[in-house]
Amino acid sequence: MTIKRLYIVLSLVATLSLPAFADDIVVNYNQPKQYIVGGVTVEGNKYFSSKQILQVAALHEGMKVTVPSDDISNIVKRLYLQRYFEDVSMSIDRISENGDTAYFKIGIIERPRVSQYTFTGVKKGEQKELEERLKLRKAGPFSDYIAKTSSDIIKRYFKEKGFQEVIVEPQVKKDTIVKGGIRVNFAVNRQQKVRVKKINFNGLHSVKESKVVKGMKKIKDMRFQNFFKSKKFDEKEYDNDKKEIVNVLNEEGFRDAAVVRDSVYYMEPFRLGIDYDIVEGKKYYFRNITFTGNSVYDTQTLNNILQINKGDVYDVVNMEKRIFGGGKQTDYDISKLYRDNGYLFFNVQPVEVAIAGDSVDVEIRIVEGKPATLNNIIINGNDLTSERVVRRGIFTRPGYLFSQTDFERSIREIASMGQFDAESIMDPTKGYSLLPNQNDNTVDIVYNVTEKPSSTLELSGGWGGNTFVATVGVSFNNFSTRRFFDKGAWRPVPLGDAQNLSIRFQTNGTYYTSFSASFTEPWLFGKKPNALSLAGYYSRQTNSYISTYFSILNNDQYMEVYGFSAGLGKRLKWPDNYFTLYNSLSWQTYSLKDWSYFIFDTGKSHNLSYTFALSRNSTDQQIYPRTGSELSFTLQLTPPYSLLRRFDHGTGKWVKNPMDIDYDKQTSQQRYRWIEYHKWSIKFANYTKLVGDLVLMARFQFGYLGYYNKNWGYSPFEGFRVGGDGMSGYSSYGTEVISLRGYTNYSLTPTSVTPYSSGEVYVGNVYDKFTIELRYPLVLQPQSTIFALIFLEGGNCWSDIKNFNPFQIKRSAGVGVRVFLPMVGLLGVDWGYGFDDPVNGKSQFHFVIGQQF
């Protein structure tokens, strides 16, 4: 339309002439003539000023132009190519009396402005992602170019999801409300996903087809081997998987293997067939392997890492993994050996130096370079958290030799701190960078951290059991006592030093009241990773009811618990620096009156205990770990009071042997005034990254509450209650609650009748638990982390170690989802089915609050 308009205005037939204001001056467009521009006016513009249009046109008063000429045509084209105008024209408005000066007029028709962009045929989440990719802005013009590029982006988005036949139609309608506006809708018809039905490997003779199929990462067909894999056709990964086919053949020694031809075709609507024509070639073997240029490490040391002997299959892929890395995280390679000792500028190149028949000689050429020293350690993005918190936690320090292991460990430590987004710091494209300087053999390291909210607020209320329950709790996970007297730091509390301050209060009136407070300093005195923990708590639970006879509130049954604990933790260097040792002392007092949930129901008991805890945590992050493991061994002890006593309160006599005391003749207050026990606990969890972000978690737990004196027996407190969701509710002190999904709360815990209680009480003193979970993330963002899981679980609880049988477990299976919100913490819901208890098992829903081991 523009070219047509241009010819109408500027390329008129030779006989056409345009009269000027003077009758004796005629402009003949068949004979070009040069004019001086006397002035330029613009008409038809609404959104763009005349000045903006004239700047693009580059036509100004005083310049000389020839009419007609390419100069005039280019002005029109230049304006039209801005894509802001539907039509552009240029004409001579008038000519001066002397005929050497012309006054021009530029006429434009602006494109209508978009008042609203909409999408049909897409989900809400997809629309949000498309808007981020398209970056369309309202009140802007809409052109064929925008329509095409936007449609292409939408198509590319859905093709990545497997919808190869997606159709996108831009629909433009006049806006009846906004004057001069239009509404643009992108109508998306994604149709069916295009899936790969059959892959044919032609020419494959010496290698099993199943092995080649397994080696392909993304392109999978509908054979049974790929039952749990996606069969969508991913165009972006197609060429990469062709390379994987060759890699599999290379691993088997077929050095010259190649995919010589491939074709993709439709076998039926939305179902593809793929043919690969493969040439295997000859199978080769290693003959002689030599190293050159190595002076720091001898050949034997390097050969021990390479693990290739004469006569082995010529597996280039695994050879390169053992030289350059890229294998399993636990595998060691030659590059890492050098880089762990400062040789950042190390370079290695395997070269085939001779091929004789089916044998290959390889020379591994090494350029060691000089050791690199860490220069500047730069930390960016810590807007709230103090820089010293990051620096004390990382293993890379200025002046130290560069170490690849220390560098990777530093990234893991930052990801595990809890103050920063773990996914961001572990992303090699933006989380960190190495800036080497080979001129002075130094390297700068940059850590780009992303702050995330780490404090949680709990504020809830609800009605249940004819009572109102209110909970108020706050946990500041980045607290700073150092800034306590800094007025500007109180927003609302001083933060930045990674200390933890937690306060929680819960009540529903007279029935239940609980208050707890704790403080943790992870780096006592700020020099070494020695943690100080302090905690205090009070809890009161009653049978509060209103007496109809006396019309008064009655609290004749209750349980009170109050106590305090203090502990010191230390990071160990041996066996490795993933281990921590924790020691603590705690004191508790239990006061009961007619409270028939423990071995005795009336009296007061004191619990003075020492806890020794040895733990190891090598997971890559806290919320959604993909690799690493967690191990803890805990021993909690009280003094063996019964072995030190010589006076029998039941008979009122002194005895020579503490084992002669008959505790059954004593009152509950005499027997349990000071409780005694030794409590053992072992917990282990391992995380394995399977494919992508799919993670397998395997977990084991064991606990045992023992006694010193069989006559005194088991402790009335500190036992285990197994079954259900693991949320202890009101019984938050005195017992350890162990979840086992698929069963009702505490249903797997044995009960017994005791002479000191009016009914059956829980007597769980031994338990074990086994869990396997398959986890997959749905959202991994600083604002929220969501992952789904499938689990198999089993466990049981016994009253005595003599009855313990690790194979006598109650089994369950189910699915669940976890949601982590920085201001709330970890929330979850599980559905489990218990197989081995028809009364307390079968279908159960469980709600989870907080991280459970």
Side-chain angles (χ1 to χ4, degrees), residues 228-284:
F228 293 103
K229 305 291 180 62
S230 172
K231 287 80 177 176
K232 73 176 184 180
F233 180 74
D234 192 337
E235 191 174 356
K236 290 173 60 179
E237 297 294 335
Y238 181 75
D239 289 336
N240 291 334
D241 266 5
K242 271 203 305 184
K243 295 177 183 177
E244 292 298 333
I245 295 174
V246 176
N247 285 341
V248 172
L249 294 169
N250 289 160
E251 288 178 359
E252 295 298 315
F254 295 96
R255 170 183 174 273
D256 304 322
V259 177
V260 294
R261 191 178 68 87
D262 61 281
S263 59
V264 182
Y265 53 92
Y266 277 99
M267 300 179 67
E268 57 187 73
F270 305 106
R271 294 295 179 265
L272 293 176
I274 302 176
D275 290 342
Y276 293 110
D277 291 346
I278 299 170
V279 174
E280 290 181 343
K282 186 191 298 184
K283 189 168 185 174
Y284 290 84

Side-chain angles (χ1 to χ4, degrees), residues 783-829:
Q783 298 81 11
S784 63
T785 298
I786 304 174
F787 62 90
L789 58 90
I790 303 173
F791 68 85
L792 297 174
E793 202 157 68
N796 210 343
C797 187
W798 297 266
S799 61
D800 195 284
I801 190 66
K802 296 177 182 178
N803 303 324
F804 172 67
N805 183 351
F807 303 104
Q808 184 186 358
I809 62 174
K810 306 295 184 180
R811 300 163 301 166
S812 66
V815 297
V817 65
R818 296 290 183 273
V819 179
F820 177 80
L821 301 173
M823 285 298 293
V824 179
L826 190 66
L827 306 174
V829 59

Side-chain angles (χ1 to χ4, degrees), residues 9 19 60 86 137-138 187 225 306 354 372 389 518 536 646 649 768:
V9 176
H60 55 82
E86 281 189 343
R137 56 187 181 88
K138 295 179 182 179
Q225 180 182 350
L306 195 62
V389 171
S518 64
R646 293 293 185 271
H649 291 280
D768 64 2

Side-chain angles (χ1 to χ4, degrees), residues 37 316 605:
V37 178
V316 179
S605 289

Side-chain angles (χ1 to χ4, degrees), residues 210-227:
S210 59
K211 187 167 187 178
V212 178
V213 171
K214 184 179 179 181
M216 298 175 70
K217 306 299 183 185
K218 296 294 183 180
I219 307 298
K220 304 288 184 179
D221 62 5
M222 294 184 178
R223 66 187 72 200
F224 183 76
Q225 180 182 350
N226 298 326
F227 185 79

Side-chain angles (χ1 to χ4, degrees), residues 551-772:
S551 298
I552 59 173
L553 190 66
N554 200 326
N555 294 325
D556 57 351
Q557 299 175 8
Y558 64 84
M559 172 185 175
E560 280 187 341
V561 183
Y562 49 90
F564 177 81
S565 66
L568 285 173
K570 179 181 180 181
R571 181 193 292 167
L572 303 180
K573 296 181 180 179
W574 185 90
D576 60 37
N577 54 18
Y578 288 107
F579 278 90
T580 57
L581 178 64
Y582 182 77
N583 297 275
S584 70
L585 285 173
S586 64
W587 164 72
Q588 286 176 310
T589 294
Y590 301 92
S591 182
L592 284 68
K593 180 181 179 184
D594 297 328
W595 198 255
S596 56
Y597 297 96
F598 295 94
I599 291 178
F600 74 94
D601 56 17
T602 300
K604 180 177 288 189
S605 289
H606 303 286
N607 178 10
L608 178 63
S609 65
Y610 161 74
T611 300
F612 168 90
L614 181 66
S615 62
R616 184 182 188 274
N617 187 337
S618 62
T619 57
D620 56 347
Q621 56 168 290
Q622 291 180 342
I623 305 303
Y624 189 77
R626 296 174 177 83
T627 60
S629 61
E630 297 172 295
L631 171 67
S632 72
F633 167 75
T634 305
L635 174 61
Q636 188 175 359
L637 303 166
T638 65
Y641 302 110
S642 65
L643 301 181
L644 304 176
R645 293 192 182 105
R646 293 293 185 271
F647 185 75
D648 187 344
H649 291 280
T651 61
K653 297 180 180 179
W654 292 89
V655 295
K656 294 182 179 180
N657 188 346
M659 304 300 290
D660 294 334
I661 297 177
D662 186 358
Y663 287 98
D664 291 337
K665 293 182 180 180
Q666 295 184 4
T667 65
S668 60
Q669 185 61 42
Q670 292 171 337
R671 184 171 183 171
Y672 298 119
R673 181 176 180 83
W674 290 94
I675 62 173
E676 61 179 46
Y677 58 87
H678 51 90
K679 185 177 181 180
W680 306 74
S681 176
I682 299 175
K683 298 179 181 180
F684 175 76
N686 186 72
Y687 302 89
T688 304
K689 186 177 181 181
L690 299 179
V691 179
D693 287 325
L694 183 66
V695 174
L696 177 68
M697 187 277 292
R699 177 183 294 156
F700 163 73
Q701 294 177 241
F702 171 79
Y704 169 56
L705 181 69
Y707 53 75
Y708 298 110
N709 185 336
K710 65 178 181 180
N711 293 333
W712 191 86
Y714 286 104
S715 168
F717 305 105
E718 301 301 328
F720 308 102
R721 295 186 183 180
V722 179
D725 51 29
M727 297 175 62
S728 58
Y730 293 136
S731 302
S732 55
Y733 301 106
T735 58
E736 183 176 345
V737 180
I738 309 299
S739 69
L740 208 156
R741 294 162 287 190
Y743 299 91
T744 57
N745 286 354
Y746 315 151
S747 61
L748 303 183
T749 311
T751 59
S752 178
V753 177
T754 68
Y756 300 117
S757 185
S758 58
E760 286 194 345
V761 298
Y762 293 111
V763 287
N765 297 311
V766 187
Y767 86 95
D768 64 2
K769 179 183 172 183
F770 307 88
T771 303
I772 294 177

Side-chain angles (χ1 to χ4, degrees), residues 157-175:
Y157 171 80
F158 281 101
K159 283 183 178 181
E160 291 173 3
K161 293 177 173 289
F163 299 97
Q164 300 294 326
E165 299 299 319
V166 60
I167 299 172
V168 181
E169 180 186 358
Q171 299 172 338
V172 181
K173 292 183 180 180
K174 185 178 180 180
D175 195 321

